Amino acid sequence: MGEANKKIHVDDDVGKDEPSADGSEASPYKTLLFAHIRHPPSDGFSFFTRKSKTVNAKEDGSEEAQTEWKPATASALKKVTKLYDQHKRKLAKSDEVAIREKGEQEKRQQALQDAMRVKITEDASLPRAFKIRLDEKDPKLIKLRSGDSKNQVDYSEGGGSRVRVTGRVHRMREQKDVIFVTLQDGYGLLQCVLTGNLTKTYDAKTLTLETSMEIWGEMWEVPPKQHAPDNRELHADYYEIIGKAAGDKEAISTRVAKDADPQTLYDNRHLVLRGENSSAVMKVRAALLRAFRQTYESETTPSCLEVTPPCMVQTQVEGGATLFEFSYYGEKAYLTQSSQLYLETCLPSLGNVFCVAPSFRAEKSLTRRHLSEYTHIEAELDFITFDELLVHLEFVMCKVIDIALADRKVKEMVYDLNPDFKVPERPFMRMKYENAIAWLNEHDIPNENGQPHEFGDDIAEAAERKMTDIINRPVFLTHFPVAIKAFYMKKDPQDPRVTESVDCLMPGVGEIVGGSMRMEDYDELLAAYEREGIDPKPYYWYTDQRKYGTSPHGGYGLGLERFLAWMCGRYTVRECCLYPRFTGRCTP
């Protein structure tokens, strides 16, 4: 390189720290550091600087003074030398890390290649294994080896049962020459211990969470001071991979990371459901459904018969604003808001009835207690009074809890999910709407407009929940004004301003049940249609109930997801259904 080419130019104003620049006068760099990186001083380069656009007060201000290239000052060179030395050290460290990582990668690849040559086979001389579910604990079927043995698997006298199990890898950890794999099969968990050649295969070296596998081995008690599900473990002697799960960037722990945003978790709900908490909530949900059916069919007097009303209807129950409308062979139809009207028609011939069915509300609400589709547990009772309705409702909820918690597994799951859960005591607190308005004002809890509550206000969710949380016990809120309740609710004979209606409020959730006595008088029901501007023609079949042997009757609807959220301490009802449906969410 010639002498001229040994000169490197830096222009603070128009230079560029980019590979396209070459340090010439026509294409200068912007900083001395970048110039040093591109052209190390040790190679004999010299550096010239200027600020072609910035007027230097020390110069005479002429264009010639501004464009003149001058050798970099000693202070500038001293400063950049320190920065350049730091850069070299950082580069050296980076190279060192890259070399180490490359070495580790090569070492891992070699280990994987070696692992491919390790083959395992089932030892035909071992006792024949029998298949069990992971929750199987029958001591008549499964014998656990206890104590010490020189071998991880020992079928000599006093040995444990040889079994085979299937499941997915829920947890795993490695120690020197040992891999602990916890399998899950939907029924239970079982820790499996892999040793020897079982840990040296390619499948073992690349094992990932959620991989499905079958494992053969001997059942052992867990050694003292060690822990495993149900205090037992399987010492494996053979295994096979059934379905390998994705790893690296597609690993389940990456797809549904604990700190993932809610929408990502909803998009991957099918994977979230594999988690211990989510699956436990679904199992408690199933237990509650069984308990509700058992309570209605065997515990209430008289019993209630389960019926299955339609979901496609041409009438409204809770107001037209929340109806999902669709075309039914050219006719206007809706997804049901409630099965109540149909249940009422069953009373004369079937007696008290209940149903467990989906209900739909087109509420554009994103609160943590609203869903567009939810499981509605509804019941209708014939020849009762309002007080009897409240006693029945109280009994059903408490009995359902008692039945569910009588199952040891369910009880463990409930208290794992919600350690502070307390079984409600009867009788529930009873509070009339009018008294609730006074209570809210006494406690300075305003309405949605920031004003004191007045009779006739529809108490907002936030105020209602705050009141319930302060009282901190179940509350039957009763006798709501006629104007804010559904057309079919019976007026209180003692106060025609209000209805014989009830909402059951639970701490942390708010309303989980809504019910009332139903209008039994034919003319009163017709007047209610007219008051609400409802065409009575589509309701002829409902109105006929008052025409052919009317009776005092009442009923209610309970939101299963809200009940479950309260019992399991979940923040939102969206965690309490398999695949939640709410505003903007209809997938997966």
Side-chain angles (χ1 to χ4, degrees), residues 313-316 332 334 341-342 529 534-544:
V313 301
Q314 292 185 310
T315 52
Q316 66 183 51
K332 185 183 291 187
Y334 314 101
L341 305 189
Y342 292 97
Y529 290 141
I534 297 173
D535 181 1
K537 290 181 181 178
Y539 295 84
Y540 72 93
W541 52 273
Y542 179 68
T543 311
D544 274 355

Side-chain angles (χ1 to χ4, degrees), residues 408-445:
R408 180 184 59 81
K409 284 186 176 180
V410 173
K411 185 175 183 178
E412 287 177 0
M413 287 187 286
V414 168
Y415 284 99
D416 282 345
L417 292 164
N418 184 11
D420 297 327
F421 177 71
K422 295 180 180 178
V423 176
E425 296 180 2
R426 289 188 282 171
F428 292 179
M429 178 180 179
R430 280 142 168 88
M431 176 185 285
K432 289 189 175 182
Y433 166 89
E434 191 170 20
N435 295 331
I437 293 294
W439 191 97
L440 290 167
N441 290 333
E442 289 171 4
H443 289 78
D444 296 320
I445 300 174

Side-chain angles (χ1 to χ4, degrees), residues 326-345:
F326 66 98
S327 176
Y328 186 76
Y329 302 107
E331 295 183 9
K332 185 183 291 187
Y334 314 101
L335 294 177
T336 185
Q337 298 169 312
S338 166
S339 298
Q340 173 211 317
L341 305 189
Y342 292 97
L343 293 185
E344 289 188 50
T345 68

Side-chain angles (χ1 to χ4, degrees), residues 140-153:
K140 295 179 181 178
L141 180 65
I142 300 174
K143 182 180 179 183
L144 302 181
R145 172 178 277 280
S146 60
D148 298 320
S149 173
K150 294 180 180 179
N151 304 310
Q152 282 291 326
V153 176

Side-chain angles (χ1 to χ4, degrees), residues 165-184:
V165 295
T166 53
R168 292 173 177 82
V169 179
H170 186 59
R171 291 189 295 266
M172 66 178 182
R173 58 188 173 90
E174 294 185 46
Q175 294 180 357
K176 185 179 180 181
D177 300 326
V178 181
I179 299 178
F180 294 93
V181 174
T182 300
L183 289 188
Q184 173 180 257

